[in-house]
Amino acid sequence: RKQRSFPLGEPTNWNKPTIIAISDEYVDLVNEEKIKAIQGRLVGIDDDGRLQLDTNCDTSDALSDIDYVICATGYKPNLHNFLSSEILSTLDYDHEDKFSPLTLAYNTLHPSLPNLAFCGLYKGPYMGVMDLQAQLAAKLMSGSMSIEDEAYKSALKTSETMRKSKPRQQFPHYYPDLMDTLVQVLNQDNS
C-alpha cells in the first residue's frame, strides 16, 4: 500500500518476478525528483534527440530535454546476424529471449560446438563469472582439460530447465553458486 504513493509507482504487472537494482542513491534521487523514473522501454531516439518510449499504453511517449540516458536493460544479442542457422539450432537460440537466448553448459559452452564459447552472455555485469567463463573456454580449447559427457548433459539440462521456467527469475543463477560451479569445473582432476 505504501508503494502506491511512492514516486517509483506501483508495478504495472504483479504477475512478473520482481526486478532489483543496486544503488545507494537511486531511490533518494527519485524522491528528490532529480531522477524521473518512467516504466517502459526505449524504442528509439529521434534525430532531434527526443527519446521514443513504449510505456505499455495505447500510445508511445516522447521525452526531450534529456541530460543523460542510461540504458541498462533490454539488450538482445543479435547472434542470428552472424552465426549460421545450423549453429543457432544446436544452441536452441531464441533471438527474442533477452533473459537467456541460448542453451549452454555453464552459460558458456555447448558440447557439440567445441570451438565456440560465450563469455559475458550472462545477465548482469559480473566480471568474476566472465573471467571464469574465459578460463574455462581457454582450458577446453587448448586441450588442457576436458568435461565428461555426463557433466555436460547435466549442465545443459540445468540451462534448459532455467530457460523454460515460468515465471522466470530476474537472474538465471545465484551468482556465488555459478562462480562456485565454474571454479569446481576448472579445478576438476582430469587424470
Side-chain angles (χ1 to χ4, degrees):
R1 299 199 191 292
K2 183 177 181 182
Q3 189 167 1
R4 291 186 177 140
S5 61
F6 188 66
L8 289 176
E10 184 174 348
T12 56
N13 187 341
W14 287 98
N15 295 323
K16 289 186 178 179
T18 57
I19 296 176
I20 63 165
I22 300 171
S23 171
D24 291 335
E25 294 91 19
Y26 180 74
V27 172
D28 291 336
L29 293 171
V30 171
N31 284 333
E32 295 167 14
E33 298 181 358
K34 292 181 180 175
I35 292 178
K36 180 179 179 183
I38 298 172
Q39 294 184 8
R41 294 244 179 238
L42 176 66
V43 293
I45 301 176
D46 294 339
D47 290 337
D48 64 358
R50 289 169 23 111
L51 303 181
Q52 295 299 320
L53 303 171
D54 176 3
T55 56
N56 295 321
C57 298
D58 292 334
T59 61
S60 62
D61 293 325
L63 296 174
S64 59
D65 193 28
I66 307 289
D67 291 326
Y68 297 99
V69 176
I70 301 170
C71 296
T73 62
Y75 295 106
K76 292 186 236 177
N78 290 319
L79 300 175
H80 57 283
N81 290 336
F82 60 91
L83 292 177
S84 73
S85 58
E86 291 173 4
I87 290 174
L88 295 173
S89 177
T90 299
L91 297 170
D92 193 23
Y93 176 63
D94 179 356
H95 73 279
E96 292 296 320
D97 189 346
K98 298 179 303 210
F99 178 78
S100 183
L102 306 170
T103 299
L104 297 171
Y106 315 110
N107 278 23
T108 311
L109 311 154
H110 196 285
S112 299
L113 301 165
N115 296 320
L116 180 65
F118 296 87
C119 300
L121 194 60
Y122 178 84
K123 191 165 186 168
Y126 301 112
M127 301 311 266
V129 169
M130 290 183 248
D131 179 63
L132 293 170
Q133 288 175 318
Q135 287 181 48
L136 180 60
K139 283 187 171 192
L140 286 168
M141 290 181 187
S142 71
S144 66
M145 74 169 287
S146 62
I147 297 176
E148 294 180 16
D149 287 343
E150 287 305 312
Y152 255 132
K153 287 179 186 176
S154 175
L156 285 173
K157 183 68 176 165
T158 298
S159 176
E160 186 178 344
T161 300
M162 183 249 340
R163 289 184 73 200
K164 293 179 179 179
S165 67
K166 301 286 183 202
R168 287 181 159 178
Q169 297 174 354
Q170 181 181 4
F171 297 101
H173 303 280
Y174 179 59
Y175 174 65
D177 287 349
L178 178 57
M179 286 195 61
D180 286 346
T181 299
L182 288 166
V183 167
Q184 289 171 5
V185 172
L186 285 164
N187 292 331
Q188 68 183 350
D189 182 14
N190 290 308
S191 52

